[in-house]
Amino acid sequence: MNKRVSVSAPGKLMVMGEHAVVYGFPCIVTAVDRRLTVTAEATGTELVIDAPQAKDTRFVEEAVRQVNAAGIVVPDGMRIATESAFSSSYGFGSSSAVSVGVVAAIMALAGEHPDKRRIFDIAYKTVLAVQGVGSGFDVASAAYGGTMVYVKGGGTLTSLAWKGGEPVFVVGYSGVKADTATIVRDVAAKRERYPERVNRLFAGIAQLVGQAAEAYAAGDAERFGKLMTFNQEYLRDLGVSTPKLEAMIDAANAAGAYGAKLSGAGGGDCMIALVPIEKKAAVEAAIRGAGGAVIVVATGAPGVRAATTDDQDELFTVVDEQDNEVGVRTRSECHGDPTLIHRTVGVAVFDSAGRLLLQKRSMTKDMEAGLWGISAAGHVGVGEAYEKAASRELAEELGISAPLVFRTKFLARTPGETEMAAIFTCTSDGPFTVNRDETDRTDFFTKDVLVRGMLSGDIRLTVSSEMALKAIGFL
Ligand code: MEV
């Protein structure tokens, strides 16, 4: 059989600092949980590209050239296929995700195990060769993932963690595809003509980005939202906003967002709003009312990596809010559509001293990779009872069996999905056998140690685990 490699790279959202970043100022970018998958197969004949989005083909061809130019011996004949979970119209950075994905896939096919810096450097050269302009923030996001402060060329990459979880962003698509390269060139022409004025705007934006990075680390949503709104004022002055984006931004703010702004080059594409979780539905409705389409994404997604260990075609039962069965859908459909409520179980395992076992999710999970989660958790299969699923997860994830106590069942709404979550508890001192594909490590925590870790930002729990631990009164 031909050697075959699959990798996936995330799309991105510019959070703050667009345009200024092209001139060497910092920006904040976050990777989103919509991924593009690249499969490269050594076929021994010619190069065959199977890219459904036509413009991707140029990036694939150029990425192959750039990997060769970097002195890596790539197979003579390859079939390279791309498959995206997001439209190239949203401005989520499909070209940079393609470039990063292809570079990583063919390097792996050539037997190289490059670090992210090398992937970034080659992919950034690819994007510049095809597009001619760009700060590379989108390439960095696809390569490294997470949320970060980025400075052009990758000189500064500081990863950011929102204190106490992930912030809640709502994303609205204006329905208009922006031509980033043209807008970046227009801004350059404006800067030639009015250097002082435009440089002053960029310096102002840079100052906001610095303050925003601090507010992000502090989890200060009110301040972060205000800074986003100030950033939008500068972008408006720069002339890159549009009446449609303004209408969506105004609507989001009027519906209770902490702040909102356009995201990316402007001229169309998307806007983002930072919102209190309880105002999320109202803000989404307001954006729709202003003619936008809401795109549900979770932020801080992992960067390029070998294709997920989760089976995206696994079937889940879909239920209504009273837990009545209403249909069957795939994992990939349920993850990303909060109207598709699906059943999950969580088990909190306590040792005989009353400490709670938590597990750190592996970086290859398709959702919330790297965060800490409840002792064992998983989806309920079609036709499976909650308690059966809980016992199965205990055995699969921790290698134990223990009598379970049902504690509660609740609707867990998170930015990307909605679960009907049943929570069980049990007691066990182990030993535990963890599956390294799913879990990086496990640890027991007293309540005090956990709360302190969460406050300092050292421990980041998945949103649903935090809800489950609150539901059983541990937090
Ligand atoms: C486009 O999404 C963001 C810009 O800052 C361009 C870039 O950084 O490459 C306008």
Side-chain angles (χ1 to χ4, degrees):
M1 210 170 91
N2 293 331
K3 188 171 175 198
R4 196 160 171 234
V5 173
S6 267
V7 303
S8 73
K12 59 81 186 131
L13 264 181
M14 174 63 96
V15 182
M16 282 182 67
E18 46 273 270
H19 289 293
V21 66
V22 176
Y23 300 90
F25 296 104
C27 73
I28 298 177
V29 57
T30 187
V32 295
D33 64 345
R34 301 278 180 114
R35 303 184 76 83
L36 181 136
T37 304
V38 176
T39 303
E41 187 176 0
T43 53
T45 52
E46 82 267 65
L47 176 64
V48 177
I49 299 170
D50 179 3
Q53 306 194 124
K55 79 171 185 154
D56 291 356
T57 306
R58 284 183 298 147
F59 290 91
V60 177
E61 283 167 352
E62 186 59 35
V64 174
R65 251 195 301 279
Q66 292 293 343
V67 173
N68 260 317
I72 294 152
V73 185
V74 300
D76 279 342
M78 282 183 289
R79 181 178 171 275
I80 299 178
T82 65
E83 194 187 329
S84 180
F86 53 94
S87 154
S88 66
S89 324
Y90 295 162
F92 275 9
S94 72
S95 312
S96 43
V98 167
S99 305
V100 165
V102 171
V103 169
I106 37 186
M107 288 177 92
L109 203 58
E112 296 257 337
H113 295 285
D115 60 16
K116 299 221 162 151
R117 177 75 219 197
R118 188 128 192 259
I119 295 173
F120 166 79
D121 285 339
I122 300 174
Y124 185 30
K125 280 192 188 140
T126 302
V127 170
L128 281 182
V130 178
Q131 245 170 226
V133 291
S135 65
F137 80 102
D138 41 3
V139 181
S141 186
Y144 292 92
T147 303
M148 68 173 127
V149 175
Y150 171 84
V151 176
K152 194 174 178 178
T156 306
L157 295 163
T158 313
S159 86
L160 291 176
W162 184 269
K163 191 170 174 183
E166 273 293 312
V168 182
F169 286 111
V170 172
V171 180
Y173 176 53
S174 66
V176 179
K177 171 78 201 107
D179 179 355
T180 301
T182 303
I183 298 169
V184 169
R185 288 195 185 99
D186 287 351
V187 169
K190 222 173 260 182
R191 185 165 169 268
E192 288 262 294
R193 219 162 345 129
Y194 310 106
E196 256 179 49
R197 183 151 176 264
V198 173
N199 284 335
R200 220 180 18 250
L201 291 178
F202 288 160
I205 291 174
Q207 216 168 20
L208 296 180
V209 168
Q211 291 167 9
E214 283 171 23
Y216 197 96
D220 187 341
E222 290 212 13
R223 186 162 157 70
F224 197 89
K226 274 206 188 94
L227 293 164
M228 285 172 69
T229 297
F230 292 151
N231 192 165
Q232 174 61 17
E233 283 168 20
Y234 282 122
L235 290 166
R236 198 181 303 130
D237 284 356
L238 196 59
V240 296
S241 195
T242 67
K244 179 80 177 276
L245 285 167
E246 291 294 328
M248 292 161 69
I249 290 165
D250 287 350
N253 284 329
Y258 290 120
K261 61 182 278 295
L262 65 83
S263 168
D269 286 351
C270 291
M271 49 72 68
I272 50 172
L274 180 69
V275 304
I277 185 91
E278 67 279 7
K279 294 280 168 65
K280 188 168 168 282
V283 171
E284 287 176 348
I287 289 172
R288 286 193 195 98
V294 171
I295 304 171
V296 178
V297 291
T299 52
V304 66
R305 62 184 188 191
T308 177
T309 50
D310 294 312
D311 174 7
Q312 298 302 317
D313 294 327
E314 187 181 353
L315 293 177
F316 297 153
T317 299
V318 174
V319 297
D320 64 14
E321 294 195 2
Q322 282 68 48
D323 204 10
N324 300 306
E325 297 186 3
V326 294
V328 171
R329 302 293 276 269
T330 63
R331 174 193 285 265
S332 70
E333 287 173 302
C334 292
H335 290 167
D337 185 345
T339 63
L340 298 177
I341 305 171
H342 51 288
R343 291 170 171 165
T344 59
V345 285
V347 187
V349 178
F350 293 91
D351 68 2
S352 37
R355 295 177 309 163
L356 170 70
L357 183 76
L358 292 180
Q359 56 164 305
K360 192 157 188 275
R361 290 166 68 82
S362 120
M363 294 310 289
T364 61
K365 297 295 291 177
D366 63 349
M367 311 263 290
E368 300 180 302
L371 301 194
W372 286 88
I374 195 167
S375 325
H379 291 92
V380 180
V382 174
E384 192 178 34
Y386 280 107
E387 185 160 349
K388 191 117 193 270
S391 293
R392 178 178 51 72
E393 291 294 344
L394 265 189
E396 284 175 9
E397 292 192 12
L398 298 171
I400 59 164
S401 103
L404 290 166
V405 180
F406 171 75
R407 295 291 296 272
T408 184
K409 188 168 78 173
F410 66 100
L411 210 51
R413 293 186 194 278
T414 55
E417 60 172 330
T418 310
E419 298 171 350
M420 182 64 73
I423 311 298
F424 297 81
T425 53
C426 71
T427 305
S428 172
D429 291 312
F432 305 106
T433 316
V434 299
N435 176 351
R436 288 278 155 220
D437 286 343
E438 306 261 334
T439 304
D440 279 349
R441 52 188 264 239
T442 54
D443 250 324
F444 277 111
F445 291 85
T446 61
K447 182 176 167 171
D448 281 357
V449 170
L450 177 58
V451 169
R452 244 183 286 130
M454 288 171 70
L455 286 175
S456 70
D458 289 343
I459 298 173
R460 294 172 65 209
L461 283 182
T462 66
V463 179
S464 52
S465 295
E466 190 169 338
M467 286 179 192
L469 295 179
K470 280 184 177 147
I472 60 166
F474 188 77
L475 283 180

